[in-house]
Amino acid sequence: MYTQSFNVPDGAGKTVPLAPSTEDPALQAAFDARIDADGRIEPQDWMPEAYRKTLVRQISQHAHSEIVGMLPEGNWISRAPSLKRKAILIAKVQDEGGHGLYLYSAAETLGTSRDQMLEGLHSGRAKYSSIFNYPTLTWADVGVIGWLVDGAAIMNQVPLCRCSYGPYARAMVRVCKEESFHQRQGYEALLVMMQGTAEQREMVQDAVNRWWWKCLAMFGPPDADSPNSAQGMRWGIKRVSNDELRQKFVDATVPQARVLGVTLPDPDLKWNEERQHYDYGQIDWNEFWETVNGNGPCNKERLATRVKAHNEGQWVRDAALAYAEKQKARSIKEAA
Ligand code: 3HC
């Protein structure tokens, strides 16, 4: 209904016709040449089915992450410590909802409807970022999510502004600008808390201790265990690998932690002169996969909240559709 798609006809339901797609060698060669020349693929262009499928997988997972990502922080809107913090948090959570909408729209241009994607999320089949399955226990968690989670998201998403699929790349430009505000507001909130009482400083350190390792895992499995990376990079969807992005994040965050006055909870974290990077300790990949596979501390709660919100919004979608039908009938009558 609210789509910027070029392929999805008005009123598209569960099945959306795909643009004609044959695995024709000449078309494949033209596609490969465009990718090799760092060109962009647009919705009406021919593309291999596997490219289309990979994009729908990644963009829909990304969209789901944005809208599920509204929940842990949304829990704190009614408990924000001041009017200023509340206004900032409302704006941020709304931004995340907007990111979800741009991304669902970008995925729809590939011939998958929003209903299909949401069905995947609500049935528990579709993935979304592991990071949103952890609880937000104190107000400091809201600042740390801004600083570290949004900081990690920016690190991963800036290269996506150069993704080979045009609608995804263009959506990411605005998303990244907004994520940059999110990261800064989180860091600023923490700076203020760190200048407050000993109890506030402890609260920030505790939140950093709980979120640090989860943020490192957020970049995805190590390159050697990442089944989608090689092909994603060949197609220019992914530009920088999971491990490289993780390293960039660590390198950028250590000096920020120093300015803030917090300790990152990793005894192995130290500058490596030879590599010109920080070394860091072992990520708990078992815990990561448990969470990705639905067994993290908040997976069930997050999904239940999403499904409830979707069901409770049914009347809004029905009303909007009825209004659109009424408008259409009126314009047909006026034209007659
Ligand atoms: N959480 C859940 N699943 C994850 C994951 C994570 N942190 N990292 C990887 N996975 C999944 C992959 O989706 C893949 O599953 P699938 O094959 O069943 O689809 C599997 O683990 C193997 O991982 P790969 O490295 O092979 O997968 P990719 O090549 O797709 O790389 C990715 C994973 C780096 C997350 C990539 O898909 C990507 O860059 N996606 C776009 C960005 C995104 O989705 N970010 C999520 C956070 S959004 C956000 O934080 C909102 C902000 O407002 C804070």
Side-chain angles (χ1 to χ4, degrees):
M1 184 168 45
Y2 303 111
T3 178
Q4 296 160 21
S5 164
F6 303 115
N7 295 32
V8 183
D10 283 346
K14 295 264 177 218
T15 46
V16 178
L18 290 179
S21 168
T22 33
E23 307 290 323
D24 176 302
L27 292 172
Q28 178 74 50
F31 171 87
D32 290 346
R34 178 131 14 130
I35 294 286
D36 287 342
D38 203 15
R40 293 290 169 271
I41 308 296
E42 295 298 336
Q44 301 301 345
D45 294 336
W46 183 88
M47 61 188 84
E49 276 314 308
Y51 176 80
R52 186 188 297 278
K53 217 169 137 197
T54 289
L55 281 168
V56 171
R57 178 187 66 79
Q58 178 166 327
I59 303 172
S60 62
Q61 286 178 4
H62 192 167
H64 300 329
S65 305
E66 298 284 354
I67 62 167
V68 176
M70 297 167 77
L71 303 176
E73 288 183 285
N75 282 339
W76 279 91
I77 291 175
S78 58
R79 292 178 286 170
S82 68
L83 184 58
K84 176 182 145 185
R85 295 292 170 201
K86 191 187 190 86
I88 293 172
L89 186 57
I90 290 173
K92 177 184 190 291
V93 171
Q94 280 180 341
D95 283 352
E96 309 296 6
H99 298 172
L101 298 188
Y102 314 149
L103 290 165
Y104 284 124
S105 298
E108 280 183 304
T109 66
L110 292 152
T112 300
S113 72
R114 178 108 39 116
D115 285 346
Q116 285 172 307
M117 291 183 264
L118 286 177
E119 202 277 317
L121 174 65
H122 295 161
S123 66
R125 272 184 295 110
K127 289 192 171 73
Y128 60 86
S129 185
S130 50
I131 197 77
F132 301 119
N133 291 305
Y134 299 99
T136 40
L137 302 180
T138 68
W139 173 252
D141 289 44
V142 172
V144 168
I145 289 180
W147 174 38
L148 296 181
V149 175
D150 293 285
I154 300 172
M155 199 56 93
N156 162 273
Q157 292 174 14
V158 166
L160 293 173
C161 299
R162 291 184 293 113
C163 167
S164 60
Y165 188 58
Y168 190 26
R170 290 190 287 275
M172 291 317 298
V173 173
R174 179 159 170 182
V175 170
C176 286
K177 284 187 185 162
E178 292 175 351
E179 291 297 352
S180 168
F181 148 67
H182 297 170
Q183 196 265 355
R184 282 154 202 238
Q185 66 78 35
Y187 193 65
E188 191 268 344
L190 296 177
L191 277 173
V192 171
M193 289 184 80
M194 290 302 286
Q195 284 153 22
T197 63
E199 208 179 353
Q200 284 175 302
R201 283 191 289 277
E202 273 167 33
M203 207 190 275
V204 174
Q205 183 62 59
D206 172 64
V208 170
N209 293 349
R210 283 181 288 107
W211 288 93
W212 173 249
W213 289 105
K214 322 290 184 216
C215 288
L216 293 196
M218 201 181 147
F219 291 92
D223 294 349
D225 304 324
S226 161
N228 304 298
S229 276
Q231 187 61 70
M233 291 182 84
R234 171 67 190 86
W235 278 326
I237 296 173
K238 269 175 108 154
R239 297 284 178 166
V240 186
S241 82
N242 298 0
D243 284 333
E244 280 176 277
L245 288 170
R246 196 172 359 254
Q247 182 71 64
K248 271 170 164 292
F249 175 73
V250 172
D251 292 349
T253 309
V254 172
Q256 293 169 5
R258 206 171 291 136
V259 171
L260 197 55
V262 293
T263 309
L264 297 172
D266 178 359
D268 296 325
L269 188 67
K270 56 176 178 305
W271 179 250
N272 182 323
E273 193 57 36
E274 201 181 320
R275 290 199 313 119
Q276 290 290 300
H277 289 294
Y278 282 94
D279 290 336
Y280 55 91
Q282 278 299 319
I283 295 168
D284 184 347
W285 291 112
N286 286 335
E287 201 257 4
F288 168 78
W289 287 117
E290 275 293 299
T291 305
V292 171
N293 291 324
N295 304 316
C298 300
N299 295 58
K300 288 181 185 60
E301 181 188 329
R302 297 286 182 250
L303 262 197
T305 309
R306 258 312 309 161
V307 171
K308 182 167 178 278
H310 186 74
N311 292 341
E312 287 177 358
Q314 186 60 48
W315 71 272
V316 179
R317 294 188 293 279
D318 290 345
L321 268 180
Y323 180 71
E325 287 297 327
K326 217 160 118 185
Q327 292 289 91
K328 198 169 146 196
R330 189 174 296 161
S331 57
I332 291 172
K333 205 168 146 196
E334 279 169 8

